[in-house]
Amino acid sequence: MNLNGLSVASAAEIYNLRPADIYLVHDDLDKALGKVAVKLGGSARGHNGVRSCISALQSSEMTRLRVGIGRPEGDVTVSSYVLAPFSAGEQERLEQVLAQAATFLLEHVLRRAPVRDPGDGLT
């Protein structure tokens, strides 16, 4: 996951996408579980997967959908926390969070989509 930028850059090249055309969906330790936000460009804020994408695309212009997972409590390391399975309570909440994130993302994409002329030959 920390090297996902290589795959994202490869897909961008294949589909002729600019960094501004790309949406990154990623977990966010600084947001509580269930909080979702869109961030336009900017730094990786310590997220290795986002950092990899910025490096591989040589740009930070991607739109990010940040899905909160909260921070670990106690002596749990961040890497152990993000790789651990969700608890039963978190699993129950996860379905709602994912539906909210998908709706949020779709609404954002539709607001950004260019209006096409029916006679332009595009399908």
Side-chain angles (χ1 to χ4, degrees):
M1 189 64 207
N2 290 342
L3 299 177
N4 63 334
L6 302 173
S7 297
V8 172
S10 178
E13 185 176 337
I14 290 168
Y15 293 104
N16 197 28
L17 299 173
R18 300 168 300 140
D21 299 326
I22 297 170
Y23 280 81
L24 301 178
V25 179
H26 65 87
D27 57 354
D28 190 330
L29 289 165
D30 293 326
K31 295 201 167 308
L33 180 65
K35 299 293 182 184
V36 178
V38 169
K39 180 178 191 292
L40 303 174
S43 74
R45 298 182 51 163
H47 194 287
N48 291 328
V50 174
R51 183 179 295 120
S52 175
C53 289
I54 290 171
S55 175
L57 292 166
Q58 299 178 353
S59 175
S60 64
E61 293 181 30
M62 295 76 62
T63 300
R64 297 94 189 261
L65 180 67
R66 300 164 50 200
V67 181
I69 61 169
R71 286 213 167 261
E73 296 179 4
D75 293 334
V76 178
T77 65
V78 169
S79 59
S80 296
Y81 178 71
V82 298
L83 296 174
F86 289 102
S87 70
E90 290 168 335
Q91 282 282 0
E92 287 180 27
R93 186 115 193 267
L94 192 57
E95 191 171 323
Q96 175 188 10
V97 170
L98 294 177
Q100 176 191 4
T103 299
F104 201 79
L105 182 61
L106 181 58
E107 288 172 355
H108 194 272
V109 169
L110 291 174
R111 280 194 307 271
R112 283 184 54 182
V115 176
R116 294 194 172 165
D117 180 348
D120 68 4
L122 298 174
T123 57

